[in-house]
């Protein structure tokens, strides 16, 4: 398990405090082998989140909550220009000394910079504050683009939509791009699996024949695989293979195969301009008509609507930075359906 401590300063934008929970809970909830525990810790003087709709947060954790964390996140705050309390500086230095990963979101970079931990390193902050950060802390190489910047154990990014990019970046470092893609999809396109369904998007139990056959299936999605082909590859009879699949993935072999193909369709719709005809060939679904039928059956939406929804999301994530987003992304619903049991 990876423990993430979010250090809340007074006046933290509410969405910067809640977005890490949205991202890391989506990664954990949809990938059984991913295990994050999130802890909100109150910095000295913390009372409320910032406007325009401040709310109170009660947490049993103060700075002591950082002591056993694997990652510490510093969101922005209203008083980011003020010198952090000595106890905060000491806690962050102690975390860095024991090898803890530290991330800063938006103006949270000012807090980290004030501790001296970023001296001689590259960093990013909210775009409107890059010049100010560079002026106040000339020993830091400030990235004016506000993209995610990593330098050793320190990671920082602009605060657009609560540090979504930074949280996804950390998930990628821990578990790779495939987990990030599915996390992004589940968290922000509202593609929820029904209650009780086992996510079938990652490795099965380690050390068994099924690991190898699942990897083989995912590499060969473009081929017309049959149940007999899968059983032969696994070195099992069809009955034992089916029981093993259901025990380890919650799906039959062919259900798993279809779901893997639909998820590949989603990735190609998101990240390429390939026409449906080419996507149908690349994913082994054969014809555009079959792709549309299976995609709608599994997601309750069409490929065209899904592609437009994802690109609308990507456009939202490139909005000009602002201190506080009036409508956090986790309150929006986009026009894409749920990734159901296929």
């Amino acid at each position: 398990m990876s423990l993430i401590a979010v250090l809340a300063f007074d006046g933290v934008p509410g969405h910067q405090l809640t977005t890490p929970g949205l991202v890391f809970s989506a990664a954990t909830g949809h990938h059984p082998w991913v295990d994050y525990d999130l802890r909100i810790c109150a910095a000295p003087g913390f009372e409320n989140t910032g406007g325009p709709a401040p709310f109170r947060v009660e947490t049993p954790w103060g700075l002591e909550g950082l002591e056993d964390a694997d990652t510490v996140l510093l969101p922005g705050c209203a008083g980011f220009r003020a010198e952090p309390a000595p106890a905060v500086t000491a806690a962050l230095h102690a975390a860095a000394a024991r090898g803890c990963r530290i991330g800063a979101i938006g103006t949270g970079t000012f807090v980290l910079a004030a501790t001296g931990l970023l001296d001689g390193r590259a960093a990013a902050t909210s775009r409107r504050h890059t010049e100010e950060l560079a002026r106040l802390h000339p020993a830091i190489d400030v990235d004016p683009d506000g993209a995610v910047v990593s330098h050793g154990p320190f990671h920082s990014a602009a605060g657009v939509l609560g540090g979504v990019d930074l949280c996804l970046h950390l998930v990628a470092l821990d578990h790779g791009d495939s987990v990030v893609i599915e996390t992004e999809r589940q968290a922000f396109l509202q593609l929820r699996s029904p209650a009780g369904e086992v996510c079938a998007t990652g490795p099965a139990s380690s050390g068994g024949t099924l690991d190898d056959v699942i990897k083989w299936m995912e590499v060969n999605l473009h081929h017309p695989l049959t149940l007999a082909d899968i059983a032969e590859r696994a070195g099992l009879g069809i009955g034992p293979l089916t029981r093993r699949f259901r025990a380890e993935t919650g799906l039959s072999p062919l259900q798993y195969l279809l779901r893997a193909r639909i998820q590949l369709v989603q990735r190609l719709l998101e990240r390429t301009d390939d026409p449906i005809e080419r996507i149908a060939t690349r994913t082994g679904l054969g014809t555009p008509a079959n792709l549309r039928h299976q995609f709608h059956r599994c997601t309750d939406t069409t490929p065209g609507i899904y592609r437009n929804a994802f690109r609308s999301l990507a456009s939202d994530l490139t909005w000009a930075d602002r201190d506080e987003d009036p409508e956090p992304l986790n309150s929006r619903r986009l026009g894409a359906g749920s990734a159901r049991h296929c």
Side-chain angles (χ1 to χ4, degrees), residues 35-104:
D35 193 5
Y36 287 111
D37 187 20
L38 191 69
R39 175 185 293 171
I40 304 297
C41 303
F46 175 79
E47 293 185 5
N48 297 303
T49 66
F55 56 88
R56 292 187 63 84
V57 176
E58 294 185 3
T59 172
W61 300 103
L63 290 176
E64 75 281 358
L66 277 58
E67 293 175 359
D68 58 344
D70 301 292
T71 300
V72 172
L73 291 182
L74 305 175
C77 58
F80 64 89
R81 295 182 180 90
E83 193 76 13
V88 170
T89 298
L92 293 175
H93 273 270
R98 61 181 172 79
C100 182
R101 185 169 61 184
I102 300 177

Side-chain angles (χ1 to χ4, degrees), residues 151-334:
H151 199 144
F154 301 102
H155 309 266
S156 54
V160 178
L161 300 177
V164 171
D165 288 342
L166 178 60
C167 294
L168 290 173
H169 171 72
L170 297 178
V171 173
L173 291 178
D174 292 338
H175 300 288
D177 290 342
S178 63
V179 171
V180 168
I181 291 168
E182 185 65 14
T183 297
E184 187 178 31
R185 180 182 298 127
Q186 297 291 347
F188 303 116
L189 287 182
Q190 303 295 321
L191 298 181
R192 299 179 299 277
S193 298
E197 180 182 341
V198 177
C199 178
T201 59
S205 300
S206 61
T209 305
L210 203 52
D211 280 338
D212 295 333
V213 76
I214 282 176
K215 293 175 183 176
W216 173 80
M217 289 167 62
E218 293 176 346
V219 168
N220 290 280
L221 294 177
H222 56 292
H223 292 304
L225 303 178
T226 65
L227 185 57
D229 293 333
I230 300 170
E232 181 180 359
R233 178 73 183 189
L236 297 170
I238 289 176
L241 174 74
T242 300
R243 290 191 293 272
R244 183 85 174 272
F245 255 88
R246 288 198 180 280
E248 297 192 16
T249 72
L251 305 174
S252 73
L254 293 184
Q255 286 172 333
Y256 188 100
L257 178 64
L258 177 58
R259 179 154 179 149
R261 282 174 167 158
I262 293 301
Q263 289 174 342
L264 179 55
V265 171
Q266 290 173 317
R267 291 196 292 274
L268 293 174
L269 289 171
E270 293 161 7
R271 285 159 170 77
T272 76
D273 293 318
D274 285 356
I276 295 299
E277 292 80 5
R278 176 164 171 74
I279 293 176
T281 299
R282 293 181 64 179
T283 58
L285 290 170
T287 67
N290 186 50
L291 183 152
R292 291 187 178 95
H293 169 72
Q294 300 293 356
F295 193 86
H296 189 274
R297 188 167 72 87
C298 291
T299 68
D300 283 333
T301 191
T302 67
I305 291 174
Y306 181 87
R307 175 174 265 168
N308 290 336
F310 190 89
R311 294 189 176 185
S312 175
L313 168 66
S315 176
D316 284 347
L317 291 177
T318 59
W319 285 351
D321 194 18
R322 57 193 73 180
D323 283 338
E324 293 174 271
D325 179 37
E327 187 183 4
L329 184 58
N330 57 3
S331 70
R332 302 189 188 117
R333 287 186 177 272
L334 299 178

